[in-house]
Amino acid sequence: MTDVSIEDDGVPSQEVEDVELYHATSWLTKYVFSQDAKVIAIQYACTAIAIGLVALVLSWLIRLQLAFPGAIPFIDANVYYQAVTMHGMIMVVYMLTAIFLGGFGNYLIPLMIGARDMVFPFVNMLSYWVYLLATLILAASYFVPGGPSGAGWTLYPPQAILTGTPGHEWGIILMLASLILFIVGFTMGGLNYVVTVLQARTRGMTLMRMPLTVWGIFTAAVMALLAFPGLFVACVMLLLDRTLGTSFFVPAIVEMGERRDYSGGSPILFQHLFWFFGHPEVYIVALPAFGMVSDLISVHARKNIFGYRMMVWAILAIGILSMVVWGHHMYVSGMNPLFGFFFAVTTLAIAVPTAMKVYNWVVTLWRADIHFTTPMLFALGFLITFVNGGITGLYLGNVIVDVPLSATLFVVAHFHMVMGIAPVLVIFGAIYHWYPKITGRMMDERLGKIHFWITFLGAYAVFFPMHYLGLVGVPRRFYEMGETAFVPHSAVGLNIFMTVMALIVGFSQLIFFYNAFKSLKHGALAGGNPWRAASLEWQTPETPPGHGNWGKQLPIVYRWPYGYSIPGAPDDFLPQNAPPQRGEHAT
């Protein structure tokens, strides 16, 4: 490391010297076993989307069973519970986490901070291949005796490993092995993101000049490095309980009339370890989404983000608070009421920095020059959905409200609004926004808007009625209701309606894929900066960016990434790397 000094242009020198990149020597090392973060990002994104489509089909099976019980012969109780388990695990871990951190993190971090690549390119490549292996092992559980685990995505012991639970033979073993590998792969990637942000920023790119997208991904990576070890330990210990007969999580128990050899284990310990990972996981997905939405809103509203520093501190506050709220998932586990009080207070406290972010987004939009482009529509859709999901979260964070609702569809509706629909809207918005930089071509706006409206309205048609079903007591996780007196007849009609809408929303995603593939060849040429954005990734000398991103000379940053509609400026945006104008103050 060299000493930091101020150079002739008034910008501090780079803390770490530029190093020679690895140069691919064959097609295989350039496109398959690539060490280029941009290629790795696309590999992550394609794998995450592919396994996400599997989860989408599984959700259709779940909905078809709920709407038309017994109508599809191959969906028995085992298949249903296996679909529920795999859908939840795939979406939360293998799709959302992977695409936000592995996909967008790899593509955007080096470009947005002015780096040539990740600090450890070889480790970065390894992280993807370990992730792919983990995903294949998870998918392989459909081809082993007994099929995949049907224990629910929380994998609670002792149920998860006992006879009677679908997939208790091999499915649970493959699930746990897959999760262990996923965490190993993510740790390699996460360390890369953190070190790259701290060490590889270009000259002038101070921490308080980084785009909020980078802040969100950086904070999420730190959180994941702290939270994932909890799940890693839980998976290893449960795997030992299942394979070697240890008793970390299984107490003395009688199964099928026979006493098992287990004794002394604590199922509650597993719940603590799982949710120590599980709740931060919500924000590991949400924080990158918050950052991306901030950038999308600022660019497409042609206005600087309101309260940038407040947004950064809010991201950090959410990251810290999210590590001490896991117990609100365990109100019905029999925990001491004092713990319940503590977790209820911390849960409500996290609403404060979250509300600050929403407030800042709204103020940014106030009197802005809003362009209703496809990325902007998805960003606004996220904003509305996140507020709706957040409000229902306030109810569930309160112990006395959560206890009667915890086993109902109200929880499913809340969870899907916050953790499903909201981040997926951001993913689509981000793809429409950064697609021109990745491919050099624009996606079709008309198809994009059709895709948005069907997805947005259709998702609300699925999950808004689900809140009502939860409030009237319709339970979750049930294979079929049968003749249940407390379930109103309207629930049957609503279930059919929601299922039809889920199928429509699912099939409408074909519009997105058609648009993405067609635009690769026939989309309008994008140029280097089609959105007239100020952040650094849009200032690359080539589009798509070449190997090393910046040609011979790294960029120099003079200001923050939200220079829009500046009075007296020749354009309505001022790139981060444009030399300062006379009389301009540093930002």
Side-chain angles (χ1 to χ4, degrees):
M1 182 180 293
T2 59
D3 293 333
V4 178
S5 59
I6 305 298
E7 300 198 4
D8 295 340
D9 53 13
V11 179
S13 61
Q14 197 155 1
E15 294 184 39
V16 179
E17 294 293 338
D18 207 3
V19 296
E20 185 66 19
L21 288 176
Y22 168 83
H23 298 286
T25 55
S26 67
W27 186 87
L28 272 180
T29 54
K30 188 172 183 179
Y31 295 109
V32 181
F33 300 103
S34 174
Q35 297 185 31
D36 188 329
K38 297 185 292 297
V39 177
I40 295 171
I42 293 169
Q43 290 174 325
Y44 259 112
C46 290
T47 307
I49 290 172
I51 196 67
L53 289 175
V54 174
L56 174 66
V57 173
L58 292 173
S59 73
W60 287 345
L61 298 183
I62 297 167
R63 290 261 24 115
L64 285 169
Q65 169 59 28
L66 291 174
F68 311 103
I72 301 179
F74 71 87
I75 305 180
D76 58 18
N78 283 358
V79 170
Y80 176 80
Y81 289 119
Q82 288 166 330
V84 169
T85 303
M86 292 289 280
H87 169 76
M89 188 62 80
I90 288 172
M91 287 302 297
V92 172
V93 177
Y94 295 83
M95 196 274 183
L96 291 174
T97 306
I99 199 167
F100 273 116
L101 297 184
F104 291 111
N106 266 305
Y107 202 92
L108 294 177
I109 286 177
L111 286 170
M112 283 186 153
I113 65 171
R116 294 202 179 280
D117 206 320
M118 288 291 178
V119 168
F120 309 117
F122 181 75
V123 176
N124 202 25
M125 179 192 72
L126 275 185
S127 77
Y128 166 71
W129 287 101
V130 175
Y131 160 65
L132 179 63
L133 178 62
T135 307
L136 292 175
I137 290 175
L138 182 76
S141 62
Y142 263 105
F143 304 98
V144 296
S149 174
W153 81 279
T154 52
L155 306 179
Y156 280 176
Q159 174 211 353
I161 62 173
L162 295 183
T163 307
T165 301
H168 75 279
E169 303 99 330
W170 282 99
I172 186 66
I173 293 175
L174 292 185
M175 173 76 81
L176 295 170
S178 171
L179 283 171
I180 290 168
L181 280 174
F182 180 91
I183 296 166
V184 170
F186 168 76
T187 303
M188 291 190 279
L191 287 171
N192 229 339
Y193 308 151
V194 172
V195 177
T196 300
V197 169
L198 293 179
Q199 291 288 299
R201 301 189 311 277
T202 190
R203 291 177 56 210
M205 180 61 81
T206 62
L207 289 175
M208 281 301 175
R209 284 176 176 172
M210 291 198 308
L212 290 168
T213 294
V214 177
W215 269 111
I217 295 173
F218 171 74
T219 310
V222 174
M223 288 170 58
L225 289 171
L226 296 173
F228 269 119
L231 181 63
F232 182 88
V233 170
C235 288
V236 171
M237 293 163 76
L238 187 57
L239 192 60
L240 293 175
D241 280 2
R242 170 62 185 84
T243 55
L244 300 182
T246 56
S247 297
F248 290 111
F249 301 127
V250 186
I253 194 167
V254 174
E255 182 185 25
M256 308 294 284
E258 295 183 7
R259 176 167 181 156
R260 299 290 302 269
D261 293 334
Y262 297 108
S263 65
S266 171
I268 300 297
L269 173 61
F270 179 89
Q271 293 187 28
H272 279 292
L273 289 170
F274 182 87
W275 288 115
F276 182 76
F277 142 80
H279 194 80
E281 168 66 13
V282 173
Y283 291 96
I284 289 168
V285 170
L287 290 183
F290 289 170
M292 291 177 190
V293 162
S294 302
D295 283 354
L296 264 57
I297 286 177
S298 182
V299 171
H300 295 275
R302 313 309 298 165
K303 190 175 175 184
N304 60 275
I305 198 77
F306 179 82
Y308 170 81
R309 288 178 180 272
M310 191 191 300
M311 296 286 261
V312 171
W313 290 116
I315 285 175
L316 296 175
I318 291 169
I320 294 169
L321 285 172
S322 71
M323 303 299 289
V324 291
V325 298
W326 78 89
H328 72 222
H329 294 276
M330 299 168 58
Y331 286 152
V332 294
S333 68
M335 70 165 61
N336 187 304
L338 290 176
F339 280 115
F341 174 76
F342 169 79
F343 286 118
V345 170
T346 53
T347 300
L348 295 178
I350 208 170
V352 175
T354 308
M356 287 164 55
K357 297 190 74 63
V358 174
Y359 171 79
N360 285 9
W361 289 325
V362 172
V363 175
T364 301
L365 291 168
W366 178 252
R367 293 186 172 179
D369 179 16
I370 299 175
H371 294 213
F372 288 102
T373 57
T374 303
M376 187 60 159
L377 290 176
F378 275 102
L380 296 176
F382 162 83
L383 184 52
I384 295 167
T385 306
F386 188 76
V387 169
N388 285 333
I391 290 172
T392 55
L394 290 177
Y395 290 103
L396 293 175
N398 191 315
V399 182
I400 58 172
V401 180
D402 177 85
V403 169
L405 288 176
S406 66
T408 72
L409 285 176
F410 190 89
V411 174
V412 180
H414 157 74
F415 187 68
H416 278 79
M417 292 293 273
V418 171
M419 191 67 180
I421 304 306
V424 167
L425 290 174
V426 176
I427 290 170
F428 282 130
I431 292 175
Y432 281 105
H433 180 75
W434 279 293
Y435 184 93
K437 178 55 61 177
I438 297 169
T439 66
R441 291 184 180 272
M442 303 295 291
M443 292 182 76
D444 187 297
E445 271 288 292
R446 185 172 60 87
L447 288 176
K449 289 175 180 174
I450 294 171
H451 173 223
F452 166 75
W453 284 112
I454 296 177
T455 302
F456 181 69
L457 297 177
Y460 271 74
V462 175
F463 292 106
F464 235 56
M466 200 178 286
H467 290 86
Y468 162 74
L469 293 182
L471 288 173
V472 299
V474 176
R476 58 182 171 136
R477 303 188 181 123
F478 275 35
Y479 166 62
E480 59 184 349
M481 298 298 163
E483 297 296 327
T484 310
F486 66 86
V487 175
H489 185 69
S490 60
V492 177
L494 272 180
N495 260 327
I496 294 173
F497 171 74
M498 290 154 58
T499 299
V500 172
M501 292 311 301
L503 291 170
I504 292 174
V505 171
F507 280 112
S508 72
Q509 304 314 307
L510 292 173
I511 299 171
F512 166 76
F513 289 108
Y514 171 74
N515 193 355
F517 286 115
K518 187 198 79 166
S519 300
L520 274 177
K521 189 172 182 180
H522 302 290
L525 291 175
N529 190 2
W531 306 121
R532 295 177 298 134
S535 50
L536 211 54
E537 79 274 20
W538 296 102
Q539 320 307 328
T540 55
E542 295 176 282
T543 298
H547 185 54
N549 295 338
W550 303 102
K552 293 182 179 179
Q553 194 71 36
L554 287 173
I556 300 175
V557 169
Y558 298 97
R559 61 185 63 77
W560 72 337
Y562 302 107
Y564 296 105
S565 304
I566 300 171
D571 297 310
D572 75 338
F573 73 104
L574 200 51
Q576 277 190 285
N577 60 337
Q581 299 174 336
R582 181 176 298 176
E584 182 185 355
H585 297 289
T587 52

